[in-house]
Amino acid sequence: MKITKGVFIGFIFGFIFSLFISLVFMMFAQAMAGGIMSLTGESWLYYATVVPFIVTFMILGAYFAKRETVSNKKLWLISLLSAFFVTLYSGTIGALFGEWVVRGGSFITPIEGGYTSVNFEGTWFWGLVYAFVLLPLTTPVARLLIQSFLELLKKMKLN
């Protein structure tokens, strides 16, 4: 039962923080580009990040529900792996999926509209490059989020 609760809490936490992180990223990017034009930003980014955040925190919810304590070293390793997975997925598969949804793709006719103009090879290459290059930035952010998630689990008496 603890594992099921941990997975459910991980789902909710991952969903909420995927929206929050996407919003913060969009605001920062728009501010750096010359000014905030939209409060929500591009919708493809939300589609790109929701799946890896939910999957990551569901797995972490099950993992942490089974353990009483986790060492600091292991938390940093988990943060590194989580940050890499989220960045890699959202920069490759998530970006392609988000573009597909935004451009009006459907499951009945997968290639329609302007989706043929997406640079698949460049998305895969640069998504992989960004996943590695941004690790020094994304790992501490992931560590902070995972620590917050652990504190939430402790308050709910699951850890």
Side-chain angles (χ1 to χ4, degrees), residues 2-151:
K2 283 177 74 172
I3 294 173
T4 305
K5 283 184 178 178
V7 168
F8 180 72
I9 293 168
F11 178 87
I12 301 297
F13 191 89
F15 181 77
I16 290 170
F17 272 93
S18 74
L19 298 178
F20 177 74
I21 293 293
S22 296
L23 181 68
V24 168
F25 180 78
M26 269 302 175
M27 292 297 170
F28 179 75
Q30 287 180 16
M32 292 284 102
I36 296 174
M37 299 296 293
S38 170
L39 290 178
T40 57
E42 296 289 330
S43 59
W44 69 266
L45 183 62
Y46 297 100
Y47 290 114
T49 59
V50 73
V51 172
F53 268 86
I54 287 174
V55 169
T56 299
F57 282 103
M58 285 174 67
I59 292 169
L60 291 177
Y63 178 78
F64 291 139
K66 292 189 286 187
R67 286 164 179 67
E68 290 294 319
T69 60
V70 181
S71 69
N72 190 40
K73 183 178 179 181
K74 188 166 265 190
L75 280 175
W76 277 107
L77 179 62
I78 290 169
S79 300
L80 177 81
L81 294 173
S82 298
F84 181 73
F85 168 71
V86 169
T87 308
L88 180 65
Y89 184 96
S90 62
T92 56
I93 298 168
L96 292 171
F97 177 72
E99 280 292 323
W100 179 69
V101 170
V102 169
R103 292 176 187 244
S106 70
F107 289 106
I108 298 167
T109 57
I111 308 257
E112 71 178 42
Y115 198 65
T116 55
S117 65
V118 173
N119 181 2
F120 289 96
E121 293 83 18
T123 302
W124 283 103
F125 175 76
W126 287 107
L128 183 63
V129 168
Y130 290 150
F132 280 109
V133 169
L134 292 175
L135 274 176
L137 177 67
T138 57
T139 302
V141 172
R143 177 68 166 87
L144 181 65
L145 287 175
I146 291 170
Q147 188 64 44
S148 302
F149 183 61
L150 266 174
E151 294 301 319

